[in-house]
Amino acid sequence: MTVRSTDKKDKPAFFISATRRPSRSNGARDPERTRQNLLDAAYREFSHSGYHAASVEKICTRAGVSKQILSHHFGSKENAYLAVLEAAYTAFRSNDPRLELNAADPRAALRDFVLFTFDHVRHNRDFVNLLSGENVNKGKIIRKSERLKSIYDPMIHRIGMLLKAGAEAGFFRPGLDARQVYISINALCFFSISNCHTLSAVLGTDLADDAALDERREHVVDFVMAAITA
């Protein structure tokens, strides 16, 4: 899957794909193309195998480069993994600045935020696998990222401002904590995707079916909006 904004009108600032074929060289030296191929190959390997079981050799083979080239771009397997995590997280939150554009209608802005979050995890299972693996790893490597703080701090601030604006307008309950709201939204969106196979087994239905996911999508956004509405 390609991790990117789902709005086709906007070109994403950065995207990373676990399924895209490597871009072949035209004979000219192109470090940016090589790095992109390596990130895509690493994303595929890490999301399928997890960090510890992932093979540097498989990453290099898929990218069509030597281990020396990977070392030149990232220095180590851990650095390549961290670069993949940062790229995937960056794409996941690529639509967040729109919260400011929609601030005139806090209800619409929060609804759009929930829907984008659900759609992103629905259509990017490799991203879900990547995060699940890093949680098994107790977040040891993602904690080393300095980049993600610059992404998530402004996002939490924007959510807080929208919750405040909505409360002042009488739409939302006052005193809502932006971090708690964000965690709840992600929990509702991620769990049904990350656990769809076990849930399908115990509930006797196919929760990975498109119709089931559409139903879940509407339930999640209705549930969140009901929880925060005054």
Side-chain angles (χ1 to χ4, degrees):
M1 280 292 178
T2 300
V3 179
R4 63 185 299 171
S5 166
T6 55
D7 191 330
K8 297 179 180 179
K9 294 181 181 179
D10 295 327
K11 181 180 179 181
F14 186 88
F15 66 100
I16 183 171
S17 173
T19 58
R20 177 175 48 200
R21 292 183 178 276
S23 175
R24 297 304 177 187
S25 172
N26 60 5
R29 185 173 178 273
D30 189 347
E32 185 176 339
R33 175 191 61 79
T34 300
R35 181 181 175 85
Q36 183 68 67
N37 286 343
L38 279 167
L39 279 171
D40 287 348
Y43 184 32
R44 178 184 178 88
E45 180 64 11
F46 288 131
S47 64
H48 287 204
S49 302
Y51 172 68
H52 294 292
S55 166
V56 170
E57 184 175 352
K58 287 183 179 179
I59 293 171
C60 294
T61 298
R62 182 172 178 81
V65 302
S66 67
K67 292 182 180 179
Q68 288 77 10
I69 296 297
L70 183 144
S71 180
H72 170 75
H73 281 273
F74 299 108
S76 66
K77 175 182 176 180
E78 180 178 304
N79 288 343
Y81 179 61
L82 181 57
V84 168
L85 285 168
E86 289 180 335
Y89 267 104
T90 298
F92 180 41
R93 299 273 56 109
S94 62
N95 268 17
D96 291 341
R98 295 186 181 187
L99 290 174
E100 292 177 348
L101 299 179
N102 294 332
D105 187 345
R107 292 170 298 184
L110 261 297
R111 183 180 177 86
D112 288 346
F113 179 82
V114 176
L115 290 174
F116 175 76
T117 300
F118 187 91
D119 289 344
H120 194 90
V121 297
R122 174 181 182 173
H123 297 299
N124 293 285
R125 306 300 177 86
D126 293 307
F127 179 57
V128 176
N129 292 340
L130 190 71
L131 267 61
S132 297
E134 181 58 4
N135 275 288
V136 170
N137 198 35
K138 298 183 179 180
K140 291 179 180 178
I141 295 179
I142 196 63
R143 293 178 192 276
K144 299 179 181 181
S145 174
E146 298 178 358
R147 180 179 175 185
L148 292 184
K149 186 175 178 61
S150 67
I151 298 172
Y152 277 77
D153 283 355
M155 176 201 65
I156 296 297
H157 176 72
R158 283 191 286 267
I159 292 174
M161 294 302 291
L162 284 174
L163 293 174
K164 180 180 178 181
E168 290 174 349
F171 301 145
F172 300 155
R173 294 191 291 112
L176 291 167
D177 183 277
R179 284 184 173 81
Q180 293 295 340
V181 171
Y182 173 73
I183 292 170
S184 295
I185 290 171
N186 277 274
L188 288 166
C189 293
F190 266 82
F191 184 78
S192 55
I193 304 299
S194 64
N195 290 46
C196 68
H197 301 299
T198 52
L199 285 171
S200 295
V202 298
L203 296 177
T205 185
D206 184 7
L207 295 178
D209 177 76
D210 282 340
L213 288 169
D214 288 342
E215 182 180 2
R216 177 64 184 169
R217 181 180 189 264
E218 290 305 310
H219 173 79
V220 167
V221 72
D222 289 346
F223 196 89
V224 171
M225 297 310 293
I228 66 176
T229 297

